[in-house]
Amino acid sequence: MDTPSTTVSAKTPFADTLFGSDKHGLDDSEKNDLSSHDSGHTHDDDDQASVCPPDTMHGWAMVLCCFFLMMTVIGPTNSFGVYLQEYHTRVFPSTPTTTLSWIGCLQFGSMCIFGIIAGVLVERFDLRVVVTGGTVIAGGAFLVASACSSPIGLLFTQGILFGAGGSCILNTAVSLPGQWMDRHRAVATGLAIAGGSLGALWLSFATTAMVANIGWQWSLRVTGLFILVVGLMVAPFLRKRVKVPPRSKIIDLAALSNMQFIVLFFSTLFVSGGYFMPYYFMPSYAVVHLGLPSKWSANISSVLNAGSIVGRVATGVLADRIGPLNAFLITSVLSVISILAIWLPFHSKAALIVAALLFGFNSGSAVSLVPVVTARIFGIGRLASVLGLLFVSYAIGTFLCSPIGGILLDKYGGGEDYLSLILYGGAFFALGTLLMLVLRLNMSRKVFVVV
């Protein structure tokens, strides 16, 4: 492998000069590539299996499809704070916040747990079939949830069942851009995942309006129909670029023996725990703690998602210049600052807006850059199945953080004081950021190198 250049040249972009050129990855990541564990499968096999060159208009069309798919799964998940506020204050006022927060927790958590199976399905079967099946299950889950009259029913429908179907959609949407893009992989992945933020942005306002005018049950039905319509329209256009050779193992656990994967696993575990805390509790914080009108629940949710839309694209551009892991580390540090240095000490509407905007802008990398970092370490051939394993860390992090945050709010905050909840979420994100630094140093101890 060529040594990264440190000499300024008129033909060398400034970022490559400053950070060093490492387009094809570092030695350590090449040696630890997952493909070496998989019957001799290498990156060359990926190239030979390509049915279309990367970075084409066809590839950008796939990115657009993934953009709309993300809207159907991350949109409802990130806008759950509006439902949580409605459930907590009107529908189930006697139910502990902890129980209600489990509904949103299980949405994304189940999506990640079922992601192991979804990764295998995405890798082995026609994407059109996989996404169609996932869409029917996810959309149907919201329709069934509208008939539920208890929190337990919502846990199984709006939570687990939606997550099961959404796992097929999510795994496809985050892994497919990496197959079709090379030079602009981080930007393409960021654009695709930004669809989830845009979906959550308008869906927060739409859900608030629907709950106020037609009730929460009809709001669930309309959302379910939206998932079905969009998913079934997009699915027929999906295509793979890389054909993965068949293998004997249904689920390949080879990545678990890779130290870089283990560090990345625990880093995303803690980061994801801190990531969802503001999305779930900032909206209710505005109403319950600050005493703002109920519409501010949707307003704060929208500020978070608006920042995330811009942030995921911007961090993608940054990652293509300085490396995905470098960008991931920088944005994670800024996310921790927004929680512990702005949201925690200042109790005002202005501070909350600033914290929400800064957190939304930077925290999106916790979702958008993980597939890019994973592809850089393990290649794109088995990206779907490796991400399926990695998504389990998101589930564990979500289960450990959000429900416990609800317990802290009820037990130590009397349902109104969010101090312990914010500290807990901020500490989670900070620990994940520290582990990310460990991974960065493991890949290269040089400061100015693309990683």
Side-chain angles (χ1 to χ4, degrees):
M1 185 185 72
D2 295 336
T3 303
S5 172
T6 57
T7 303
V8 178
S9 169
K11 297 181 180 180
T12 304
F14 174 74
D16 289 346
T17 301
L18 181 60
F19 286 90
S21 178
D22 189 32
K23 184 177 180 180
H24 300 290
L26 300 172
D27 287 337
D28 289 342
S29 65
E30 291 172 353
K31 292 177 182 178
N32 292 302
D33 194 312
L34 179 63
S35 60
S36 64
H37 298 280
D38 191 21
S39 303
H41 179 67
T42 66
H43 292 301
D44 291 333
D45 295 328
D46 292 343
D47 296 335
Q48 295 171 1
S50 298
V51 296
C52 183
D55 303 312
T56 63
M57 290 304 298
H58 196 163
W60 286 111
M62 292 299 103
V63 172
L64 181 61
C65 288
C66 294
F67 177 90
F68 286 108
L69 289 178
M70 289 298 294
M71 193 178 292
T72 66
V73 287
I74 300 300
T77 302
N78 281 13
S79 61
F80 174 74
V82 178
Y83 281 108
L84 180 61
Q85 175 66 21
E86 178 71 10
Y87 295 157
H88 177 57
T89 58
R90 298 181 182 179
V91 184
F92 309 111
S94 60
T95 303
T97 307
T98 307
T99 302
L100 297 175
S101 66
W102 266 103
I103 300 172
C105 178
L106 284 171
Q107 281 186 316
F108 191 75
S110 299
M111 210 179 296
C112 295
I113 290 177
F114 285 107
I116 298 179
I117 300 174
V120 176
L121 295 176
V122 169
E123 192 176 279
R124 292 195 169 200
F125 298 100
D126 192 322
L127 292 180
R128 293 169 292 185
V129 176
V130 175
V131 171
T132 296
T135 296
V136 171
I137 295 173
F142 268 64
L143 297 178
V144 176
S146 67
C148 295
S149 58
S150 68
I152 299 299
L154 292 173
L155 283 170
F156 281 100
T157 54
Q158 190 178 3
I160 296 175
L161 189 59
F162 171 78
S167 65
C168 295
I169 304 173
L170 178 67
N171 195 293
T172 300
V174 299
S175 63
L176 197 57
Q179 284 193 15
W180 284 94
M181 292 294 159
D182 182 19
R183 289 178 300 166
H184 308 294
R185 181 172 293 160
V187 173
T189 304
L191 280 170
I193 295 178
S197 300
L198 180 61
L201 176 62
W202 70 262
L203 200 55
S204 296
F205 285 110
T207 301
T208 301
M210 288 189 292
V211 168
N213 292 282
I214 60 177
W216 64 273
Q217 292 171 309
W218 269 104
S219 177
L220 287 171
R221 292 174 190 135
V222 172
T223 304
L225 291 173
F226 160 74
I227 295 171
L228 287 169
V229 170
V230 174
L232 294 178
M233 287 180 64
V234 170
F237 298 98
L238 299 173
R239 297 289 188 279
K240 296 178 184 178
R241 187 182 75 86
V242 175
K243 297 178 181 178
V244 180
R247 53 182 175 170
S248 57
K249 297 179 181 179
I250 297 178
I251 299 177
D252 193 348
L253 302 180
L256 298 180
S257 63
N258 185 295
M259 184 55 64
Q260 290 179 342
F261 176 86
I262 293 173
V263 176
L264 180 61
F265 182 94
F266 283 100
S267 175
T268 55
L269 187 157
F270 288 108
V271 165
S272 63
Y275 171 78
F276 280 104
M277 193 75 84
Y279 279 98
Y280 289 161
F281 292 103
M282 267 191 181
S284 63
Y285 175 91
V287 177
V288 176
H289 185 77
L290 297 182
L292 298 174
S294 58
K295 67 178 182 180
W296 273 93
S297 175
N299 290 346
I300 294 301
S301 181
S302 297
V303 170
L304 283 164
N305 288 294
S308 185
I309 293 172
V310 180
R312 281 171 174 164
V313 178
T315 54
V317 174
L318 181 66
D320 281 335
R321 300 294 292 171
I322 69 172
L325 193 53
N326 287 330
F328 198 175
L329 186 59
I330 292 171
T331 54
S332 294
V333 170
L334 293 175
S335 296
V336 173
I337 290 174
S338 67
I339 297 175
L340 297 179
I342 301 178
W343 186 19
L344 176 65
F346 301 105
H347 306 272
S348 68
K349 180 172 68 175
L352 181 61
I353 293 173
V354 172
L357 188 61
L358 183 63
F359 183 83
F361 183 90
N362 290 285
S363 65
S365 62
V367 179
S368 63
L369 291 185
V370 168
V372 187
V373 172
T374 306
R376 190 175 188 85
I377 298 175
F378 300 111
I380 63 174
R382 300 294 187 191
L383 182 58
S385 58
V386 175
L387 281 176
L389 291 173
L390 192 59
F391 279 161
V392 175
S393 68
Y394 284 88
I396 298 173
T398 306
F399 292 155
L400 286 176
C401 210
S402 295
I404 294 178
I407 294 175
L408 293 174
L409 179 61
D410 290 333
K411 185 173 182 179
Y412 298 103
E416 297 181 355
D417 189 347
Y418 286 66
L419 175 63
S420 57
L421 180 153
I422 298 172
L423 281 171
Y424 184 68
F428 247 65
F429 214 123
L431 183 55
T433 303
L434 182 61
L435 288 173
M436 202 179 306
L437 177 61
V438 172
L439 178 61
R440 168 62 175 82
L441 294 175
N442 174 264
M443 296 186 70
S444 177
R445 293 183 180 274
K446 296 179 181 179
V447 177
F448 299 115
V449 64
V450 176
V451 180

